[in-house]
């Protein structure tokens, strides 16, 4: 009998697996023996994802006629490469044969037409502007190596190109982004190992070359460095690590300052060893021979010791027996539609995309058919460290250098996103290959019941009114999680049913570690010989608001004290202080560069003064930055000009096609090719203009022991909200259908209730579908790990 039951279980699983794709939309409940249940029993099991004719239409295939916002399709990437490789004047080398002294394509992505042309196409249904690509070419094969960016057009079959108009035609080669050749360090490692390899092995149990399973490795480069003569740059290899999981938490007391030229040749400038700076490797040898008995030795971790910093569950389980987590289901199926990269949900619709360098971006965001924003996009993720060692003084990162968008992948159902989420891919041309690099799970889209009411009120006064009314807060989330070396950034675009938008970012991942020798004001000691320096996360977003058109103004509603007569007081002439507000219009870009001051609270609003309601109010949206941080470093000191946007919690500028990004992959030095401050310093008038808000969020991270081995997410989230401000006559959230109203009704002296649910049934009895994620990963491991 037991064998028969096991056989039925196995057959049920196999049939369910083959009949219900993990990515499908019309899935049924996989209740055990559902097929053999009686009709009455089946009535108690609701189909989990019953598909509506109006919703749940998900078509992720690349359109043969991509929209104006759509990222480059695979067909277009192939057309770009075919055209460029046949241009003799460019003399390009294919990716598989590229070298640092050759000309090769580094990246390509969509280049948007002028905004006025896009709006004309969208709003008047005229012909779509031609699609074009922005292509970065690294020219290491010419006499004076440089970087150029060109616009290739039209797609999918280009016939010409021109230079990007707002960039220099020739960018110094030394300013190029990080590429595969920056990691070709074998000659440098051999040089170090030859001189001090034996010393490192005696102290730390490993070598840099020919090391077997006991390797010492460099990883973290200080990215923002000083340029020398325009052809060389200096980079710190911040620490040497014992290479075992998780190696970034196993630094040893050895670091190297190197100078790199345009050909990728490395020259060692300084070495940090045992708390001292040395001018050459050779200086270390006599020092070590003299003082080696006083130098701290750190044996290479044994198999047993390797587990203490691994990222795997350990300790006493929180539940005595394994129990499944609560799971969300969608009884009527997904309630959004996706056509290629266009998403519609409730009253919302928008297009999603992924920049190879800057990450996620949303376009043409509309609510009830009206455009609220033309673009909402990530611009930069930055980290600025502090420390007691010279390499930590310049340990600063602008993650766009590492291609934020290309590193957004490997979203895992049931953890990163709900099991019933829809996963969307992204494709890029990158320097390492000519075939499009496709990240199958760059985005996930899902509805989420926040567990918080969108609204509620209970009127409990017996002789006045007795009722309850409320509605659940169910939102649509577009999520992506780029992993930039050690940090993972959970980025959410959240759409509420009252017309509000939330842009949210939550960092997690591994903290940067450092060798600890003594107490210092930059870090707590978090483990044996281990500290993690104080650092500041900075996140910059672009929000191009179009409130009932492109003629908008930025005004603050300033809250000020108001002294009025207190007529209730027994003493004549007494006063009392209350608050009032005053609207203040910002006339220019410099006036609109906002630095928060608690002494002067204000509401930040964007309004269209050309439109008025019957009360004379101008419709608008207010911007609430709940992730504000203060960047305390001087704006012109060191590498700070590269992140001049960080000086402001909000900056507002007049829209220009020539100012698409606040950051740049060429700004990684103390003499940047470009600075955001230039956007503000021209001080354009911003009254009744097309406006762009540049929002900075962030946090100071003082690392603690609980950040080991990985930083958890509670308390790490930072959000900016866009909320209607006199835009509607009343909250549009009142139209949400899944509300409940309960009224008290007196019948013969007894209280009864009348319940109104507006057509939505409450009797949901649904079992979540089975998932086969483990089986899918075994067949296609590239969905989860680098292949």
């Amino acid at each position: 009998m037991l064998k028969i039951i096991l056989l039925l279980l196995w057959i049920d699983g196999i049939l369910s697996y083959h009949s219900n794709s993990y990515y499908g939309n019309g899935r049924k409940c996989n209740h055990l023996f559902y097929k053999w249940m009686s009709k009455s029993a089946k009535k108690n099991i609701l189909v989990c994802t019953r598909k509506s004719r109006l919703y749940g239409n998900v078509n992720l295939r690349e359109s043969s006629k991509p929209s104006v916002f759509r990222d480059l399709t695979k067909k277009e990437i192939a057309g770009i490469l075919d055209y460029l490789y046949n241009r003799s004047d460019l003399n390009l080398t294919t990716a598989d044969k590229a070298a640092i002294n050759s000309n090769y394509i580094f990246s390509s992505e969509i280049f948007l037409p002028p905004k006025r042309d896009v709006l004309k196409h969208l709003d008047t249904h005229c012909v779509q502007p031609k699609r074009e690509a922005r292509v970065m070419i690294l020219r290491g094969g010419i006499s004076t190596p440089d970087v150029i960016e060109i616009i290739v057009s039209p797609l999918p079959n280009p016939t010409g190109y021109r230079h990007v108009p707002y960039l220099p035609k020739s960018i110094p080669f030394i300013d190029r982004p990080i590429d595969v050749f920056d990691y070709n360090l074998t000659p440098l490692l051999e040089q170090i190992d030859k001189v001090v390899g034996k010393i490192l092995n005696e102290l730390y149990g490993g070598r840099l070359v020919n090391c077997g399973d006991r390797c010492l490795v460099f990883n973290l480069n200080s990215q923002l460095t000083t340029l020398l003569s325009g052809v060389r740059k200096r980079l710190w290899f911040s620490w040497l690590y014992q290479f075992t999981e998780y190696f970034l938490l196993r630094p040893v007391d050895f670091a190297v300052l190197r100078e790199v030229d345009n050909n990728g040749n490395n020259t060692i400038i300084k070495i940090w060893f045992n708390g001292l700076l040395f001018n050459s490797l050779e200086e270390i040898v006599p020092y070590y021979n003299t003082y080696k008995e006083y130098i701290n030795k750190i044996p290479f971790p044994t198999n047993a010791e390797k587990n203490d910093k691994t990222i795997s569950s350990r300790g006493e389980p929180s539940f005595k027996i394994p129990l499944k987590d609560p799971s969300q289901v969608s009884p009527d199926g997904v309630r959004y539609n996706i056509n290629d990269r266009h998403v519609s949900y409730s009253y919302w619709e928008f297009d999603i995309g992924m920049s190879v360098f800057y990450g996620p971006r949303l376009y043409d965001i509309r609510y009830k058919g009206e455009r609220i924003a033309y673009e909402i996009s990530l611009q930069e993720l930055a980290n600025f460290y502090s420390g007691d060692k010279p390499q930590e003084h310049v340990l600063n990162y602008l993650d766009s250098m590492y291609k934020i968008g290309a590193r957004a992948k490997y979203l895992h159902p049931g953890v990163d996103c709900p099991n019933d989420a829809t996963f969307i891919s992204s494709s890029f041309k990158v320097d390492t290959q000519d075939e499009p690099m496709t990240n199958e799970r760059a985005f996930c889209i899902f509805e989420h019941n926040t567990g918080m009411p969108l609204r509620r009120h209970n009127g409990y006064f017996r002789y006045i009114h007795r009722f309850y009314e409320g509605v659940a807060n169910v939102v649509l989330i577009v999520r992506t999680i780029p992993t930039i070396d050690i940090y993972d950034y959970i980025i959410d675009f959240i759409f509420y049913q009252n017309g509000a938008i939330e842009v949210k970012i939550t960092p997690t991942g591994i903290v940067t570690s450092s060798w600890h020798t003594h107490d210092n004001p930059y870090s707590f000691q978090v483990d044996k010989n281990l500290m993690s320096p104080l650092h500041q996360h900075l996140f910059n977003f672009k929000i191009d608001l179009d409130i009932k058109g492109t003629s908008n103004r930025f005004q603050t509603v300033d809250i000020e004290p108001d002294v009025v007569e207190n007529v209730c007081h027994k003493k004549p002439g007494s006063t009392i202080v209350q608050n009032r507000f005053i609207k203040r219009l910002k006339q220019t870009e410099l006036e609109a560069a906002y630095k928060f001051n608690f002494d002067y609270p204000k509401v930040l609003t964007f309004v269209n003064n050309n439109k008025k309601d019957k009360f004379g109010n101008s419709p608008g949206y207010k911007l609430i930055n709940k992730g504000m941080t203060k960047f305390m470093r001087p704006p012109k000191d060191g590498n700070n000009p590269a992140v001049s946007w960080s000086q402001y919690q909000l900056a507002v500028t007049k829209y220009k096609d020539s100012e698409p990004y606040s950051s740049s992959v060429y700004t990684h030095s103390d003499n940047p090719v470009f600075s955001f401050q230039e956007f503000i310093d021209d001080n354009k008038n911003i009254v009744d203009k097309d406006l762009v808000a540049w929002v900075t969020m962030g946090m100071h991270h003082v690392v603690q022991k609980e950040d080991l081995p990985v930083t958890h997410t509670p308390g790490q989230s930072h959000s900016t909200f866009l909320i209607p401000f006199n835009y509607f006559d009343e909250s549009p959230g009142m139209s949400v259908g899944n509300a409940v109203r309960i009224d008290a009704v007196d019948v013969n002296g007894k209280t009864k209730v009348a319940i109104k649910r507006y057509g939505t049934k409450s009797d949901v009895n649904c079992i979540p579908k089975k998932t086969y994620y483990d089986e899918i990963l075994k067949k296609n491991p590239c969905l989860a790990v680098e292949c």
Side-chain angles (χ1 to χ4, degrees):
M1 185 64 182
L2 178 60
K3 290 182 178 180
I4 294 174
I5 293 174
L6 291 173
L7 178 63
L8 290 173
L9 283 168
W10 178 78
I11 293 173
D12 179 73
I14 293 296
L15 290 175
S16 299
Y17 175 73
H18 288 287
S19 63
N20 301 307
S21 165
Y22 192 79
Y23 306 100
N25 300 297
R27 300 170 291 232
K28 295 182 179 179
C29 284
N30 289 305
H31 190 280
L32 183 62
F33 305 134
Y34 181 86
K35 294 178 275 294
W36 295 283
M37 283 183 174
S38 65
K39 290 183 179 179
S40 59
K42 286 182 178 180
K43 288 181 181 179
N44 294 323
I45 305 295
L46 188 68
V47 174
C48 285
T49 54
R50 183 176 58 212
K51 191 172 180 180
S52 165
R53 292 180 180 179
L54 296 177
Y55 311 109
N57 299 305
V58 177
N59 176 13
L60 302 180
R61 291 191 299 271
E62 288 186 352
S63 172
S64 59
K65 296 181 179 180
S67 76
V68 67
F69 299 116
R70 214 279 187 199
D71 291 337
L72 295 178
T73 65
K74 294 178 183 178
K75 180 180 178 181
E76 289 172 331
I77 293 173
I80 293 166
L81 298 184
D82 183 63
Y83 168 72
L84 293 177
Y85 283 138
N86 282 287
R87 291 285 309 217
S88 58
D89 58 322
L90 294 174
N91 190 28
L92 296 175
T93 302
T94 56
D96 59 328
K97 298 178 181 178
I100 196 169
N101 59 354
S102 65
N103 303 339
Y104 58 98
I105 300 171
F106 188 78
S107 69
S108 65
E109 62 182 356
I110 192 69
F111 182 81
L112 289 184
K115 181 179 176 181
R116 65 178 182 275
D117 295 342
V118 176
L119 293 181
K120 184 178 180 181
H121 159 64
L122 295 174
D123 298 339
T124 66
H125 306 289
C126 68
V127 176
Q128 177 177 315
K130 61 184 178 182
R131 284 173 57 82
E132 300 179 310
R134 178 175 176 171
V135 180
M136 182 188 296
I137 297 175
L138 274 55
R139 301 196 298 178
I142 62 176
S143 57
T144 303
D146 68 357
V147 180
I148 63 171
E149 289 206 39
I150 59 175
I151 301 167
V152 180
S153 176
L155 304 180
N157 300 307
T159 57
Y161 73 86
R162 64 189 187 277
H163 286 271
V164 174
Y166 47 81
L167 288 177
K169 285 190 175 181
S170 176
I171 297 167
F173 194 67
I174 204 71
D175 286 326
R176 69 190 184 277
I178 298 292
D179 68 3
V180 65
F181 302 113
D182 289 306
Y183 295 97
N184 183 21
L185 300 170
T186 301
L188 178 64
L189 299 181
E190 290 175 343
Q191 178 187 356
I192 297 171
D193 193 80
K194 181 179 179 180
V195 180
V196 297
K198 183 178 178 181
I199 293 173
L200 296 175
N201 188 48
E202 290 178 2
L203 290 174
Y204 310 127
R207 303 289 290 257
L208 281 82
V209 296
N210 302 319
C211 49
D213 61 353
R214 289 175 173 264
C215 293
L216 302 177
V217 299
F218 290 107
N219 182 265
L220 295 177
N221 278 297
S222 59
Q223 179 185 305
L224 302 172
T225 57
T226 302
L227 295 180
L228 303 171
S229 305
V231 294
R232 293 177 293 162
K233 59 184 175 183
R234 288 186 174 180
L235 298 160
W236 270 103
F237 264 143
S238 302
W239 290 111
L240 190 67
Y241 300 89
Q242 294 171 322
F243 191 62
T244 183
E245 190 181 342
Y246 192 79
F247 71 96
L248 288 177
L249 297 177
R250 300 182 186 278
V252 298
D253 201 9
F254 189 89
V256 172
L257 175 63
R258 61 191 177 109
E259 191 171 292
V260 187
D261 65 18
N262 277 337
N263 294 316
N265 299 315
N266 289 274
T267 302
I268 294 177
I269 305 299
K270 299 282 185 181
I271 304 98
W272 174 273
F273 173 64
N274 195 41
L276 299 171
L277 271 178
F278 295 85
N279 293 316
S280 70
L281 292 168
E282 288 72 19
E283 285 186 8
I284 292 176
V285 178
Y287 172 85
Y288 174 75
N289 290 332
T290 303
Y291 298 104
K292 61 182 177 182
E293 61 182 286
Y294 304 105
I295 298 175
N296 196 355
K297 292 186 177 181
I298 306 297
F300 203 89
T302 64
N303 288 334
E305 293 169 332
K306 289 178 182 178
N307 293 327
D308 67 345
K309 292 183 176 67
T310 59
I311 305 174
S312 55
S313 292
R314 53 183 173 267
E316 184 177 353
S318 51
F319 292 97
K320 298 301 182 183
I321 59 174
L323 298 172
K324 294 183 177 68
D325 293 332
S327 180
Q328 177 176 302
V329 298
S330 301
D332 293 320
V334 299
R335 300 190 297 178
Y336 49 81
N337 298 321
I338 306 176
N339 184 19
D340 194 2
R341 297 299 180 267
H342 181 79
V343 179
S344 58
Y345 167 75
S346 181
Y347 287 121
W348 290 105
E349 59 179 315
F350 49 86
D351 287 78
I352 64 173
M354 183 75 77
S355 166
V356 63
F357 289 111
Y358 305 105
R361 50 193 182 187
L362 274 57
Y363 289 109
D364 197 25
I365 300 118
R366 301 179 185 230
Y367 183 77
K368 291 193 172 184
E370 291 192 350
R371 184 176 300 109
I372 304 299
Y374 180 74
E375 177 185 354
I376 301 178
S377 59
L378 176 66
Q379 298 291 296
E380 189 61 271
L381 305 169
N383 284 287
F384 275 63
Y385 287 81
S386 303
D388 63 344
K389 307 170 188 70
Q391 59 269 39
E392 292 164 354
H393 301 163
V394 292
L395 191 60
N396 307 315
Y397 296 95
L398 269 67
D399 288 345
S400 61
M401 282 276 290
Y402 297 91
K403 307 189 193 80
I404 295 171
R407 292 172 179 255
K409 49 188 173 181
Y410 306 141
L411 296 177
H412 295 279
V415 180
D416 297 329
C417 314
N419 282 317
D420 64 348
T422 299
F423 293 86
I424 296 179
S425 66
S426 61
S427 296
F428 308 101
K429 164 65 182 93
V430 293
D431 53 318
T432 55
Q433 62 188 63
D434 284 335
E435 283 294 317
M437 183 190 78
T438 299
N439 296 333
E440 294 293 345
R441 294 177 178 170
F443 290 99
C444 65
I445 296 180
F446 57 94
E447 275 193 279
H448 174 60
N449 188 325
T450 65
M452 173 73 71
L454 179 65
R455 67 170 187 271
R456 64 94 65 193
H457 182 66
N458 185 263
Y460 53 84
F461 295 102
R462 179 177 180 86
Y463 298 107
I464 302 176
H465 54 207
R466 290 178 292 161
F467 74 94
Y468 169 84
E469 201 274 349
V471 63
N473 187 16
V474 179
V475 299
L476 184 76
I477 298 180
V478 178
R479 173 171 293 170
T480 186
I481 309 179
T483 299
I484 316 298
D485 204 3
I486 58 173
Y487 266 107
D488 303 68
Y489 297 94
I490 304 168
I491 301 170
D492 291 339
F493 301 90
I494 305 174
F495 296 88
Y496 292 81
Q497 298 196 53
N498 68 333
I501 304 171
E502 178 183 0
V503 180
K504 179 179 177 182
I505 184 165
T506 308
T508 178
I510 310 296
V511 293
T512 296
S513 63
S514 177
W515 180 265
H516 182 272
T517 54
H518 54 81
D519 288 344
N520 62 79
Y522 307 103
S523 174
F524 293 102
Q525 182 173 358
V526 293
D527 205 344
K528 185 178 181 181
N529 303 314
L530 187 66
M531 59 177 273
S532 181
L534 167 70
H535 56 282
Q536 185 173 13
H537 290 281
L538 297 165
F539 320 120
N540 191 250
F541 287 85
K542 176 182 182 180
I543 302 177
D544 180 358
L545 287 159
D546 286 352
I547 306 300
K548 292 188 178 291
T550 57
S551 178
N552 293 168
R553 51 177 56 186
F554 174 54
Q555 64 183 23
T556 59
V557 180
D558 296 1
I559 312 300
E560 299 181 349
D562 182 32
V563 181
V564 296
E565 183 182 2
N566 185 0
V567 298
C568 300
H569 200 278
K570 62 182 179 180
K571 184 179 179 180
S574 295
T575 61
I576 191 168
V577 179
Q578 59 179 6
N579 290 336
R580 67 176 180 178
F581 68 79
I582 298 177
K583 294 187 290 185
R584 288 194 168 92
L585 178 65
K586 304 304 178 183
Q587 300 280 347
T588 67
E589 291 172 324
L590 284 174
E591 283 186 37
Y594 173 68
K595 296 182 179 181
F596 182 75
N597 186 337
F598 274 104
D599 292 333
Y600 300 95
K602 57 194 64 186
V603 179
L604 311 177
T605 70
F606 295 81
V607 301
N608 189 324
N609 196 53
N610 298 319
K611 311 285 185 180
K612 300 287 184 179
D613 65 13
K614 59 186 176 182
F615 307 112
N617 299 314
S618 298
Y621 263 67
K622 63 181 177 182
L623 188 151
I624 304 175
N625 185 345
K626 288 185 172 291
M628 288 188 291
T629 188
K630 182 177 178 61
F631 190 63
M632 295 183 289
R633 304 184 184 209
K636 295 183 179 180
D637 183 62
N639 307 122
N640 300 344
V643 291
S644 55
W645 44 264
S646 65
Q647 298 293 327
Y648 314 101
Q649 288 81 39
L650 172 68
V652 180
T653 63
K654 180 182 176 182
Y655 177 88
K656 294 180 184 177
D657 290 316
S658 59
E659 296 177 349
Y661 304 109
S662 64
S663 189
S664 168
V665 295
Y666 309 117
T667 61
H668 54 97
S669 74
D670 50 8
N671 184 28
V673 172
F674 152 86
S675 173
F676 173 76
Q677 188 64 38
E678 299 168 13
F679 291 10
I680 300 172
D681 286 344
D682 62 5
N683 204 25
K684 295 291 185 183
N685 182 281
I686 58 170
V687 178
D688 299 331
K689 306 293 184 183
D690 190 357
L691 302 183
V692 179
W694 309 88
V695 179
T696 298
M697 297 184 283
M699 59 179 278
H700 290 94
H701 191 173
V702 179
V703 178
Q704 60 207 42
K705 290 193 297 182
E706 291 83 1
D707 283 310
L708 298 183
V710 60
T711 298
H712 288 54
T713 57
Q716 299 289 103
S717 295
H718 309 274
S719 292
T720 291
F721 288 83
L722 296 172
I723 298 177
F725 188 79
N726 294 324
Y727 192 97
F728 302 99
D729 289 336
E730 68 171 3
S731 172
M734 295 307 299
S735 66
V736 176
N738 293 353
V740 56
R741 164 106 187 187
I742 304 171
D743 285 282
V745 179
D746 288 326
V747 179
N748 298 325
K750 294 184 178 180
T751 300
K752 298 193 175 184
V753 292
I755 303 172
K756 188 174 183 180
R757 290 191 174 272
Y758 303 92
T760 304
K761 296 181 179 180
S762 63
D763 55 342
V764 176
N765 182 13
C766 179
I767 296 176
K769 70 180 185 67
K770 290 182 181 179
T771 61
Y772 296 90
Y773 183 50
D774 291 359
E775 288 83 349
I776 291 170
L777 282 185
K778 289 174 183 177
K779 291 184 177 182
N780 186 4
C782 301
L783 291 173
V785 295
E786 197 79 32
C787 293

